[in-house]
Amino acid sequence: MSLPALKDFRRIVVKVGSSLLINSAAGEVKEAWLAALAEDIAALHRDGREVLVVSSGSIALGRSRLKLPRRPLKLEESQAAAAVGQIALARIWAKVLAEHDIDAGQILVTLQDTEERRRYLNARSTIAKLLEWRVVPVINENDTVATNEIRYGDNDRLAARVATMTSADLLVLLSDIDGLYTAPPAANPDARLIPVVEAVTADIEAMAGAAESELSRGGMRTKIEAAKIATSAGTHMLIASGKIAHPLRAIADGGRCTGL
Ligand code: GLU
């Protein structure tokens, strides 16, 4: 199997991880990087593609702005940090997309919004209307009200559900790693990147360690879970590095990634 080129997809969900977006020491969004990503999104948009963004970062941005200690946060602390972070995140997405005359529309969803039929249909029709209006939806979990028992917690799986809910034909997970490897690449010099995964088998699942960075909740495991959700609904998925400028352009130019 080889994956169609980026330009062959019509509706694309792009998931952006916290560690790409947030400079935690400064408590700021990496604006230059985000502006370059917005340029890539605008290029797809101009070409007639429908782009949806699933952006992480509310908790990471809130906690660094508030200078909260590095220990794990209690539930009410991360909910409150998300309230501060999300408002800043939304502002900055609106700003970088406006540079290209694109309106951003914020959507905050909970697990129930994607899993309960009435709420699912409601969220889906709101997103459909935004896309019809050529708005770029910027979606995150509603972290201020999500509780530990009833939350996604990671935006990889949330993005996969958004992709299937909206019948997107491609989900791109941008993170700090450029694909799925045969072994954790940091620990194993023989680790090889797998360019195409035909099916999420038990072997593939075993290759996905659970590595997490300080900021992001998802590791490879949540990406594989996302892949199962997406591919079983007929949505292609790409795992690609967002650690470079213009990460979507890099994919279009044939850069390294894993396609599922
Ligand atoms: N919804 C979380 C946030 O915006 C991100 C979860 C994740 O890192 O995947 O902080």
Side-chain angles (χ1 to χ4, degrees):
M1 175 185 90
S2 69
L3 213 65
L6 207 55
K7 64 174 176 39
D8 296 332
F9 293 102
R10 180 185 49 89
R11 185 172 284 180
I12 303 171
V13 176
V14 181
K15 183 259 174 176
V16 185
S18 301
S19 60
L20 299 175
L21 261 174
I22 313 297
N23 174 343
S24 52
E28 293 300 341
V29 172
K30 295 178 188 163
E31 240 186 288
W33 178 84
L34 187 58
L37 174 62
E39 248 180 68
D40 292 1
I41 291 172
L44 289 166
H45 190 265
R46 259 196 316 276
D47 259 9
R49 305 289 171 284
E50 293 170 330
V51 185
L52 300 90
V53 171
V54 172
S55 176
S56 304
S58 70
I59 299 172
L61 185 56
R63 73 178 294 161
S64 55
R65 288 215 165 170
L66 294 164
K67 304 197 171 37
L68 301 181
R70 289 176 82 114
R71 62 169 168 75
L73 298 180
K74 297 198 189 91
L75 174 63
E76 64 274 19
E77 290 173 331
S78 59
Q79 289 173 321
V84 173
Q86 184 61 40
I87 202 168
L89 201 59
R91 202 189 119 259
I92 212 130
W93 271 108
K95 182 178 152 203
V96 293
L97 289 169
E99 301 279 330
H100 304 276
D101 291 325
I102 296 173
D103 286 308
Q106 173 177 261
I107 303 194
L108 300 177
V109 292
T110 57
L111 186 67
Q112 297 98 307
D113 293 320
T114 63
E115 303 313 305
E116 278 174 27
R117 181 163 171 79
R118 197 179 52 81
R119 294 169 71 154
Y120 167 100
L121 292 174
N122 187 34
R124 192 175 69 167
S125 62
T126 305
I127 294 174
K129 185 53 75 182
L130 289 170
L131 293 174
E132 184 191 316
W133 287 342
R134 301 295 288 147
V135 172
V136 170
V138 179
I139 302 162
N140 195 0
E141 185 158 19
N142 193 348
D143 293 310
T144 55
V145 295
T147 59
N148 287 338
E149 306 75 49
I150 46 162
R151 72 185 317 188
Y152 277 95
D154 69 88
N155 275 5
D156 294 327
R157 289 177 311 135
L158 172 67
R161 280 301 279 143
V162 166
T164 60
M165 184 162 101
T166 56
S167 310
D169 38 17
L170 178 67
L171 165 64
V172 181
L173 298 183
L174 295 178
S175 77
D176 48 12
I177 182 144
D178 51 6
L180 179 66
Y181 281 77
T182 51
N188 189 332
D190 296 329
R192 276 181 303 103
L193 182 125
I194 308 171
V196 178
V197 172
E198 305 277 349
V200 183
T201 58
D203 282 352
I204 293 290
E205 290 201 49
M207 285 173 194
E212 290 186 28
S213 78
E214 185 198 328
L215 287 184
S216 48
R217 287 165 176 270
M220 253 323 141
R221 173 129 319 274
T222 57
K223 293 186 175 44
I224 293 297
E225 291 302 322
K228 286 200 228 165
I229 297 170
T231 55
S232 63
T235 301
H236 283 292
M237 191 178 105
L238 291 178
I239 302 173
S241 173
K243 280 170 73 182
I244 46 175
H246 297 289
L248 298 178
R249 191 193 290 170
I251 295 171
D253 291 346
R256 277 162 75 81
C257 60
T258 292
L260 296 107

